[in-house]
Amino acid sequence: MSYEILDINTVARYAKGVKAISDVLGDGEYIAKEVGDGNLNLVFIVENPTKQTSVVIKQALPYLRCVGESFKLGEQRMLFEIRSMLFYEKAASGLVPKIYHYDEAKYTLVMQNLSKHIIMRKGILDCIEYPKFTDDITDFIAKTAFATSVYGMDSFGRSKLYSDFAQNGELRKLTEDFVFTFPYMQNETNRHNPLIDEKAESIKANGAFKEKAMELKYIFMTKAEALLHGDLHTGSVMLNQDETFVIDSEFAFMGPIGFDLGAVTANLLMASIAMRVREKPEYADKMEHAAYEVIEKFGKKFETLLVNGKGGMYVDGYWGQNDLCHKEALAKKITSEIIKESIGFAGCKMARRQLGVAHVLEIESIEDETKRAIAETKALDIAVKMVLNYENIDTAEKLKNLITEAK
């Protein structure tokens, strides 16, 4: 079957004609609705009302959806999402949805419908609390990073993994451009609240900030530490009070571990800033605290994996009975460097969400432009401090001190 863009009429027929999908949905008439609100893809829910069964069908478009058909983007990116999701099922079991089917010809992915879960970004707007989130997301980041790093995987396995994801250069280039470059220069894809014109221009003229952004871009482009999700934020997490699922991993590639950690941290901090402007101070405090928890919990979990994990570069018999303190010291040093880089990446993520092509709903949906400008300015002030000082921030406490000074 050749590639054609699905719609709510054709996707139901498509589901009916694929045995792996119809086995899940059962006999009867299928109905479909389009629910995608992301930057890249079409997303449908196809259900069988008679059987009360449903699946999600995601299709890669041949362009960047948030820009339009003029910005071409290869549909082959869906291949990297399926590869990464299958790997995550093993490395972080229970933290990704079940996959039922993948169609290379139509660039579609069919998976479990998380009907009892919502996108975290939407839950944040309703001030919903998620008590398991920081534990679950740091489990996901630490386990998948360790399992695909030199600390947890042998050289042969990593060579294959690197080969499997090396061709995802098109989406990596998007990140290089839209996170580390375009927002800090004149570019046609940029957009921002006109009330922060002066702030936007000051960042574009800030040579020290741009120098650090280029340092971080270099790390992003050259440090192939582990298999990253590549676009891990509160819009790529579906959850409720009991479960957390990571979705939308089409950006997956081998890169610096701190990038995913920084992306989550940035989105929690932006949510905190937005909720403070929305006059929800208690919830804002909880979002800010969650950002610190993510850094702290990841650090503890990754250090534990480094000390206790098997395989990878540590050959059996290398460490002696009296070497534990040295193994722990090395684990702390490795983790400290990851956290430092995550702070820099988080700063770039926060800055680009105010100045670049893609913004965050928590801030952008503030209707009053003046209030929105307050949130955007605060996010940019914190972002600049994080980028300029990332090499000195390797603990949650140091991050808290930086943000407290910026308030």
Side-chain angles (χ1 to χ4, degrees):
M1 232 182 264
S2 61
Y3 177 75
E4 60 176 332
I5 296 175
L6 297 170
D7 59 34
I8 57 171
N9 297 310
T10 58
V11 73
R13 292 197 295 271
Y14 168 71
K16 178 73 74 172
V18 177
K19 186 176 186 302
I21 308 175
S22 61
D23 283 348
V24 176
L25 294 176
D27 297 331
E29 293 299 315
Y30 300 168
I31 59 173
K33 58 181 176 180
E34 215 264 299
V35 296
D37 58 0
N39 296 321
L40 295 176
N41 305 299
L42 292 171
V43 183
F44 303 93
I45 293 176
V46 180
E47 60 182 332
N48 181 341
T50 304
K51 302 288 186 179
Q52 295 187 324
T53 53
S54 61
V55 297
V56 167
I57 300 182
K58 180 175 179 179
Q59 183 179 45
L61 290 168
Y63 54 84
L64 184 60
R65 188 178 187 186
C66 67
V67 176
E69 294 186 28
S70 62
F71 197 110
K72 302 302 181 185
L73 193 64
E75 309 95 320
Q76 295 87 353
R77 65 185 183 272
M78 191 59 73
L79 177 63
F80 303 107
E81 180 163 2
I82 187 69
R83 287 174 179 172
S84 59
M85 293 292 275
L86 290 173
F87 195 94
Y88 296 152
E89 278 189 325
K90 298 175 182 177
S93 178
L95 293 172
V96 294
K98 183 177 180 181
I99 295 171
Y100 300 123
H101 179 67
Y102 173 65
D103 189 328
E104 292 188 21
K106 286 192 176 293
Y107 300 107
T108 56
L109 176 63
V110 184
M111 56 191 164
Q112 176 185 0
N113 179 22
L114 303 173
S115 57
K116 296 180 180 179
H117 308 72
I118 64 171
I119 295 291
M120 187 177 183
R121 199 181 295 289
K122 294 179 180 179
I124 287 171
L125 285 171
D126 291 329
C127 295
I128 299 174
E129 295 183 31
Y130 298 107
K132 294 191 65 180
F133 170 71
T134 58
D135 263 335
D136 286 345
I137 202 67
T138 51
D139 269 356
F140 177 84
I141 298 171
K143 288 178 178 178
T144 57
F146 178 80
T148 57
S149 71
V150 297
Y151 315 113
M153 180 179 279
D154 63 36
S155 296
F156 298 105
R158 275 180 55 80
S159 294
K160 183 180 185 308
L161 198 64
Y162 190 87
S163 175
D164 285 345
F165 288 91
Q167 295 182 35
N168 201 9
E170 195 170 26
L171 292 191
R172 284 188 62 172
K173 183 66 165 60
L174 283 182
T175 303
E176 292 163 16
D177 290 341
F178 289 110
V179 175
F180 297 105
T181 314
F182 289 169
Y184 322 125
M185 59 183 284
Q186 298 300 325
N187 186 270
E188 62 183 4
T189 63
N190 291 338
R191 61 184 182 86
H192 65 258
N193 184 344
L195 296 184
I196 66 164
D197 277 348
E198 187 174 340
K199 175 64 70 174
E201 291 307 311
S202 73
I203 290 174
K204 291 171 186 174
N206 188 335
F209 171 86
K210 293 169 76 171
E211 178 185 346
K212 290 294 183 182
M214 282 298 100
E215 284 181 11
L216 291 158
K217 182 177 181 179
Y218 178 81
I219 293 168
F220 178 84
M221 293 178 69
T222 61
K223 204 168 189 177
E225 285 184 305
L227 177 61
L228 303 187
H229 178 282
D231 194 30
L232 190 58
H233 52 71
T234 52
S236 53
V237 172
M238 293 191 71
L239 76 177
N240 56 29
Q241 278 67 37
D242 301 313
E243 296 177 307
T244 305
F245 291 97
V246 173
I247 60 173
D248 294 348
S249 59
E250 62 257 286
F251 278 81
F253 75 104
M254 298 294 285
I257 294 169
F259 189 73
D260 279 353
L261 182 63
V264 173
T265 304
N267 277 263
L268 292 171
L269 290 175
M270 286 187 285
S272 173
I273 291 165
M275 300 317 286
R276 215 168 291 285
V277 170
R278 291 170 180 271
E279 300 181 352
K280 304 287 185 181
E282 291 184 4
Y283 193 77
D285 287 344
K286 288 174 181 176
M287 288 292 101
E288 184 178 328
H289 182 68
Y292 305 143
E293 276 196 343
V294 164
I295 295 294
E296 184 175 7
K297 289 181 178 181
F298 168 83
K300 290 179 179 177
K301 290 175 181 180
F302 201 72
E303 281 187 33
T304 299
L305 287 168
L306 289 172
V307 171
N308 299 327
K310 303 290 185 181
M313 71 180 194
Y314 296 148
V315 177
D316 286 346
Y318 179 80
W319 296 107
Q321 290 183 344
N322 299 321
D323 290 337
L324 179 59
C325 63
H326 298 289
K327 195 175 184 183
E328 289 175 341
L330 179 58
K332 187 173 288 294
K333 183 178 180 180
I334 292 167
T335 304
S336 174
E337 197 64 25
I338 291 169
I339 291 174
K340 287 177 185 179
E341 291 175 1
S342 79
I343 300 303
F345 291 137
C348 288
K349 282 278 193 177
M350 290 176 70
R352 79 96 167 195
R353 289 291 196 174
Q354 318 313 313
L355 304 175
V357 66
H359 295 210
V360 293
L361 185 63
E362 298 94 315
I363 293 177
E364 190 165 42
S365 63
I366 298 173
E367 294 183 3
D368 186 313
E369 278 193 349
T370 301
K371 288 185 176 181
R372 187 164 74 247
I374 292 171
E376 292 161 337
T377 300
K378 180 58 65 180
L380 287 169
D381 285 343
I382 291 172
V384 170
K385 283 184 176 291
M386 291 170 76
V387 170
L388 290 176
N389 296 285
Y390 78 90
E391 292 163 300
N392 303 313
I393 305 171
D394 60 355
T395 66
E397 188 64 27
K398 289 179 182 178
L399 175 60
K400 183 178 181 180
N401 291 339
L402 180 145
I403 289 173
T404 300
E405 289 173 6
K407 285 182 178 178

